[in-house]
Amino acid sequence: MSEKPDYRDTVFLPKTDFPMKAGLAAKEPAILARWADEGLYARIREAREGRERFILHDGPPYANGDIHIGHAMMKTIKDFIIRSQSLMGKDAPFIPGWDCHGLPIEWKIEEQYRKKKLDKDQVPPREFRAECRAYAEHWVNVQRDQFKRLGITGDWDDPYRTMDFTSEAKIAGELLRFAMAGKLYRGAKPVMWSPVEKTALAEAEVEYEDITSTQIDVAFEIVESPIPELVGAHAVIWTTTPWTIPVNQAIAYGPEIEYVLIRSKERNVVIASDLQDEFWKRQIFNPIAPLTQAEPGSGVIATFKGPDLAGAIARHPMHHLGGFFAKPRPFLPGDFVTTDAGTGLVHMAPDHGEDDFLLCKANGIDPVFAVTSDGKYREDWAWLGGQGSVINAKFNAPDGPICSDLREAGALLAASADFQHSYPHSWRSKAKVIFRATPQWFIPMDQHPSPSRGEGQVRGANQGEGAASEEQSLTLPPGSAGRAPPSPLQGEGLSLRQAALQAIEDTRWVPEKAKNRIRAMVEGRPDWVISRQRAWGVPIALYVHKQTGDYLRDPVVNTRILHAFHEGGADAWFGADHQALLGGGYSLDDYEPVSDILDVWFDSGSTHSFVVEARYGEGVRADLYCEGSDQHRGWFQSSLMESCGTRGRAPFKAVLTHGFTLDQNGRKMSKSIGNTVDPLAIIRDNGADILRLWVASTDYFEDVRIGKEILTGTSDAYRKLRNTFRYLLGALAEYTEEEALPASEMPELERWVLHRLSELDVELREAAEAFDFNRYTRLITSFANDDLSAFFFDIRKDSLYCDAPTAPKRRAYRSPILCFTTEEVWQTRYPGTGSVHLLEWPEIDPEWKDAELAARWALIRATRERVTESIEPLRREKVIGSSLQAKILYPGLEADLTEEDLAELAEIYIVSEVVPGEGETVEVTRSDYEKCGRCWRFLPEVVEDGALCARCDEVVNG
């Protein structure tokens, strides 16, 4: 038997240098280097100059440590948005930024001091701040390289940093805008305070953890009451913060609560009627409880409503210490008192609770500042002076000093260390925080604008130097950072809360539910405490009159302050010649420079002013802010408050929020658990594109998961896309424009692909405008995998491989529009033509859309799936080797189908032949034809196995 001819060299297999193996980890750095050498970011800006601008304002990550997976996801989402907006023809610059001030950096420098056995308080402030600046500078540079390695496009050579002198000057200027409008006040209010870090904390700097606390019942003897039976009885309060008892000043009752006077064998007590059972349970199960219940049915002496307690006076259990402790403790009505737990009576310590503070203030009771910044009682405090820290569990324990003294005084009725609840902790130190009344600076939420004076804490500008000539003689640096801030607020007539709520309604929130979340936060938030008692930050650059307590409002003084900041940054305040800044109109003997610094959320909340407005024009707003959902109480809110307070509107037109990253089991990531995922390790091992594809594949509007198994699935999805790119590039080998066919001359299948592209174009644009890159990615992968690879390529590979080079089917196949590809694909197809990222979204010919054709091919596709399902059993049973060996008897085919129509169906089904069948079932048999030795199709003209069919004979032999 003669040897069969080898026709492999006559088959037109795809040819490409685009490798199947990606090698991303090694290849991506070279691409980044080329982009840098070409100045790609600047070239994109030049190409889009004059176009509609799209500004995504970057929320500044903290310059402290390597980036984590949350950083990687957040910056990647931003990059998707920037690149897609640029692709759609807009000028979409991206200015990355960093938050450089604040406690975390101070904490790191102090750790270095502690290792060297140095006391931070002994280091000159300027030297300490210089070390903080150097630390932040180091991590800015580290994170910059890490973000660039992730493929994030942006102006990395000119980012913004809150510690830049121009930034610090602008932050100070924003503060002075509030000051000039009388929208600042200094007051003593309880704020969240970290005894470990010795500073006030914002809500966004606090996280809640479940803890177990000591709960105690304490008896306060009633010494005066309009109800005679109450005199000598004991009002019982319940608390989970025993350390606040040494600062108690009153007792609150609920106006709508019913109370009972109960007889016990030891003493009579007053509690809420609804809480009797719970109260007695704490007595029964507490071995130290001095109370025992009276005989059943004989315990309740009297019943009365809360208002009956008005006018009653109790005395502190430690009244024998005299002084503060001997003062009367009045009963006060509190709407916040409930019967959810405890006794229905709440002890009031105005130093350590917001409700306590407000109720006591309304009744002329002021804080006493008994607890110092490190959480200890003042040395001169009569009870437990110098002791603490008050957050120490042993200090509050049933056998600790507080409970021991109360027990000795006969006032401790129950104490047990078994109460589980959620409690605030500093997210930096992880230590418990307390509410502590301290003198702080606040921006009021509900004060309406006053064009002249603040609320008794402002010295009017008209009392200033009045030296217009001096103001005009000052030479200010160029740019907005050196200008004196304008005094009036916009949004005239609205309080800050009202302006913020209106701005929320005027903003597009993605997803929509985010609006409800931030609105609820703004509706219930207290006044904004903007002061911190630390060193590394922008100072509250105000002068306070020593006698009146008013702060100075003078535009000329403000101009000098901002000029100094612009020249020397915030350090100019701490080492300033303050008399020179005040000028000749004031004496430093009368004024005290404020030493507090600004809350870092005020810093980042002001970034719109020295990034968006400074670079793109005064009054310009960002089109989008994009951060994690935790920023509803962080950067989104501080930016909203700052801009509404100074401009009367939000600094953004739209806000996108994404969820948190969890491990693959849905657990919160924690170093202690060991389930963190390092984005830098993913990039090192797999390449940045794998990480980026993972981000795009997640529903990031909700919490997302990541882990080894999930990334394996992402890598598989990437390989499928890469193989599609490779196949397309191979099919386009040696393609020239002369081979192109007009769409009208293309076969139906190719015109169907063009129709699908027209549909895909609309869907992708909608997804990009909605910032929904999960949908965007699903659309692309579905098109690549289902429409192209599994359908179009599968059908047309016979034409590609075996048709003559000039055949219309082959020529039509080779001209799809390559819209969605990577830099590597583009450079493979068009080497030396510049980056793909300089291109714009191609316009789709409206003539490609053909609904009638789409409906026809939807039906054909459905029949193809039916045929494929019918063939599979014969393949499993080895009756046939491939679908090309199958003969199809398809029922219900139209009688007027020609032989050419049936042959086309055979090509679409990838079978030997299709003939009309009977009944309702697709029948499959083995073909009686022989196999072509070149295209492997079983056709009637093949005379023997391995011979050529008519088409292949013409291609090979001419």
Side-chain angles (χ1 to χ4, degrees), residues 703-731:
D703 291 346
V704 301
R705 300 185 183 194
I706 188 172
K708 185 176 180 180
E709 294 180 8
I710 293 172
L711 288 171
T712 298
T714 303
S715 296
D716 290 341
Y718 173 80
R719 274 191 292 273
K720 290 180 180 178
L721 282 172
R722 186 175 183 87
N723 285 340
T724 300
F725 295 147
R726 188 170 185 269
Y727 191 90
L728 283 167
L729 288 167

Side-chain angles (χ1 to χ4, degrees), residues 250-259 305-311 330-340 344-348 354-363:
I251 297 174
Y253 60 84
E256 304 298 325
I257 297 176
E258 181 179 81
Y259 292 90
K305 286 287 189 179
D308 296 331
L309 290 170
F331 283 76
L332 305 174
D335 292 336
F336 51 84
V337 181
T338 70
T339 56
D340 294 340
L345 294 170
V346 180
H347 98 89
M348 295 285 97
E354 186 173 3
D355 290 332
D356 309 46
F357 174 83
L358 294 174
L359 181 61
C360 288
K361 180 181 179 181
N363 288 273

Side-chain angles (χ1 to χ4, degrees), residues 441-716:
W441 288 91
F442 296 87
I443 293 174
M445 291 297 298
D446 298 306
Q447 174 186 319
H448 287 268
S450 170
S452 57
R453 294 178 57 88
E455 296 179 332
Q457 295 248 359
V458 181
R459 183 163 184 173
N462 58 347
Q463 298 180 29
E465 295 179 26
S469 58
E470 181 175 352
E471 182 177 10
Q472 293 167 356
S473 68
L474 286 171
T475 302
L476 298 179
S480 61
R483 293 199 300 266
S487 57
L489 290 175
Q490 296 182 25
E492 189 75 23
L494 296 179
S495 68
L496 179 53
R497 191 186 312 278
Q498 291 169 334
L501 291 172
Q502 182 59 55
I504 290 171
E505 293 301 317
D506 295 339
T507 298
R508 174 190 175 195
W509 297 91
V510 182
E512 178 68 22
K513 64 182 180 181
K515 178 194 289 188
N516 295 333
R517 183 174 183 184
I518 193 168
R519 182 173 55 208
M521 290 180 174
V522 171
E523 285 175 342
R525 69 160 294 152
D527 290 351
W528 185 5
V529 53
I530 61 167
S531 52
R532 296 293 183 269
Q533 292 66 49
R534 303 297 295 185
W536 176 230
V538 177
I540 295 179
L542 298 173
Y543 292 102
V544 177
H545 197 274
K546 295 178 181 178
Q547 297 298 319
T548 66
D550 295 345
Y551 61 80
L552 180 64
R553 286 195 296 173
D554 190 314
V556 179
V557 174
N558 291 345
T559 299
R560 279 194 289 264
I561 292 172
L562 296 184
H563 188 280
F565 272 52
H566 194 278
E567 293 297 317
D571 287 337
W573 181 259
F574 295 105
D577 179 348
H578 286 289
Q579 183 59 69
L581 291 179
L582 282 169
Y586 307 96
S587 171
L588 186 60
D589 293 337
D590 298 327
Y591 286 91
E592 178 183 6
V594 175
S595 60
D596 291 346
I597 65 170
L598 281 165
D599 170 21
V600 291
W601 290 109
F602 190 94
D603 286 18
S604 59
S606 302
T607 56
H608 66 95
S609 66
F610 57 85
V611 180
V612 178
E613 291 188 344
R615 299 195 187 212
Y616 307 116
E618 189 169 344
V620 174
R621 296 196 297 161
D623 291 279
L624 183 69
Y625 276 31
C626 171
E627 298 294 330
S629 57
D630 57 332
Q631 297 307 315
H632 286 101
R633 64 173 183 163
W635 187 55
F636 296 154
Q637 193 170 153
S638 66
S639 299
L640 180 69
M641 295 299 109
E642 202 288 326
S643 183
C644 285
T646 54
R647 291 151 177 82
R649 43 83 173 158
F652 39 68
K653 299 174 185 176
V655 174
L656 183 151
T657 60
H658 61 76
F660 293 109
T661 51
L662 310 174
D663 72 7
Q664 62 187 19
N665 297 313
R667 298 178 301 173
K668 181 180 178 181
M669 291 190 188
S670 169
K671 290 182 179 179
S672 60
I673 297 176
N675 65 339
T676 57
V677 176
D678 182 4
L680 302 176
I682 297 173
I683 294 172
R684 182 187 65 239
D685 298 338
N686 302 290
D689 270 354
I690 299 300
L691 185 57
R692 293 169 67 92
L693 183 58
W694 165 76
V695 175
S697 302
T698 63
D699 181 10
Y700 47 76
F701 297 127
E702 304 292 340
D703 291 346
V704 301
R705 300 185 183 194
I706 188 172
K708 185 176 180 180
E709 294 180 8
I710 293 172
L711 288 171
T712 298
T714 303
S715 296
D716 290 341

Side-chain angles (χ1 to χ4, degrees), residues 276-499:
Q276 293 181 70
D277 290 344
E278 295 178 13
F279 170 74
W280 286 116
K281 285 178 184 177
R282 291 197 295 274
Q283 310 303 308
I284 293 170
F285 293 105
N286 198 305
I288 66 167
L291 286 189
T292 54
Q293 191 170 6
E295 293 297 324
S298 62
V300 176
I301 301 172
T303 300
F304 47 92
K305 286 287 189 179
D308 296 331
L309 290 170
I313 300 292
R315 63 181 181 180
H316 196 283
M318 305 301 290
H319 61 88
H320 59 277
L321 296 176
F324 168 81
F325 295 97
K327 294 180 179 180
R329 266 59 181 175
F331 283 76
L332 305 174
D335 292 336
F336 51 84
V337 181
T338 70
T339 56
D340 294 340
T343 64
L345 294 170
V346 180
H347 98 89
M348 295 285 97
D351 286 74
H352 303 297
E354 186 173 3
D355 290 332
D356 309 46
F357 174 83
L358 294 174
L359 181 61
C360 288
K361 180 181 179 181
N363 288 273
I365 302 172
D366 296 320
V368 292
F369 312 110
V371 176
T372 58
S373 62
D374 59 355
K376 296 179 180 178
Y377 296 110
R378 291 179 354 217
E379 291 287 347
D380 62 346
W381 203 242
W383 183 22
L384 303 171
Q387 297 189 45
S389 171
V390 297
I391 61 173
N392 187 293
K394 292 183 178 180
F395 192 70
N396 291 275
D399 59 352
I402 299 172
C403 290
S404 296
D405 288 350
L406 289 172
R407 186 182 302 111
E408 185 176 339
L412 188 66
L413 306 185
S416 58
D418 57 2
F419 186 76
Q420 296 182 344
H421 61 127
S422 180
Y423 192 86
H425 293 66
S426 166
W427 70 271
R428 298 186 184 96
S429 67
K430 307 304 179 184
K432 290 187 289 187
V433 304
I434 61 175
F435 273 94
R436 174 174 178 257
T438 59
Q440 300 289 346
W441 288 91
F442 296 87
I443 293 174
M445 291 297 298
D446 298 306
Q447 174 186 319
H448 287 268
S450 170
S452 57
R453 294 178 57 88
E455 296 179 332
Q457 295 248 359
V458 181
R459 183 163 184 173
N462 58 347
Q463 298 180 29
E465 295 179 26
S469 58
E470 181 175 352
E471 182 177 10
Q472 293 167 356
S473 68
L474 286 171
T475 302
L476 298 179
S480 61
R483 293 199 300 266
S487 57
L489 290 175
Q490 296 182 25
E492 189 75 23
L494 296 179
S495 68
L496 179 53
R497 191 186 312 278
Q498 291 169 334

Side-chain angles (χ1 to χ4, degrees), residues 819-949:
C819 301
F820 314 104
T821 178
T822 64
E823 185 81 349
E824 184 185 1
V825 173
W826 184 258
Q827 293 301 324
T828 300
R829 181 74 186 98
Y830 300 108
T833 59
S835 173
V836 68
H837 302 294
L838 290 165
L839 304 179
E840 295 183 27
W841 200 304
E843 292 296 328
I844 297 296
D845 188 339
E847 295 298 321
W848 289 4
K849 191 170 183 62
D850 190 333
E852 184 177 341
L853 180 69
R856 169 176 162 78
W857 277 89
L859 178 60
I860 293 174
R861 239 179 137 166
T863 65
R864 185 175 187 266
E865 292 175 4
R866 188 178 177 189
V867 168
T868 302
E869 291 174 359
S870 300
I871 291 173
E872 197 57 35
L874 275 71
R875 290 172 59 111
R876 288 198 301 266
E877 296 167 8
K878 310 295 184 183
V879 175
I880 61 175
S882 73
S883 66
L884 287 171
Q885 217 170 346
K887 176 181 178 180
I888 305 300
L889 287 81
Y890 203 102
L893 291 178
E894 297 176 9
D896 60 349
L897 288 179
T898 65
E899 288 188 11
E900 289 78 7
D901 294 332
L902 293 173
E904 186 175 357
L905 281 178
E907 183 180 1
I908 292 169
Y909 296 160
I910 315 179
V911 296
S912 172
E913 61 179 318
V914 178
V915 298
E918 297 180 353
E920 297 182 356
T921 304
V922 175
E923 294 184 33
V924 183
T925 64
R926 180 186 173 94
S927 174
D928 295 328
Y929 301 141
E930 299 294 339
K931 183 171 75 171
C932 174
R934 182 171 179 265
C935 67
W936 294 3
R937 294 182 66 186
F938 291 75
L939 297 169
E941 67 265 29
V942 181
V943 296
E944 64 177 349
D945 185 43
L948 295 178
C949 66

